[in-house]
Amino acid sequence: MARKALKNKAALPPKFSTRGYNRCPICGRMHGYMRDFDMCRCCFRNLAREGKIPGIVKSSW
């Protein structure tokens, strides 16, 4: 879990555009972020497994 200070810092506009980074709005994680779903891989996996993301199904063969 990210600290509140880091979440607030990520919400501010950066001084230079290359310093900006994305954070997961659910847990605050910044690594493993997927832009298509606006969340990190950990939260994506949990929500997909529960069936809360439409169109995503667990593959099996």
Side-chain angles (χ1 to χ4, degrees):
M1 294 297 262
R3 295 190 331 240
K4 285 187 178 181
L6 294 176
K7 288 183 183 180
N8 292 339
K9 182 180 175 185
L12 296 173
K15 185 173 182 181
F16 302 103
S17 62
T18 55
R19 289 186 183 175
Y21 54 93
N22 296 316
R23 278 192 179 270
C24 176
I26 301 168
C27 65
R29 183 181 171 90
M30 62 183 207
H31 293 293
Y33 179 84
M34 294 190 287
R35 291 183 183 184
D36 295 339
F37 300 99
D38 187 38
M39 63 182 74
C40 69
R41 60 179 179 81
C42 302
C43 295
F44 174 79
R45 185 171 184 266
N46 291 334
L47 294 176
R49 189 179 38 182
E50 295 170 5
K52 295 183 178 177
I53 301 175
I56 303 296
V57 294
K58 186 179 184 304
S59 63
S60 62
W61 62 92

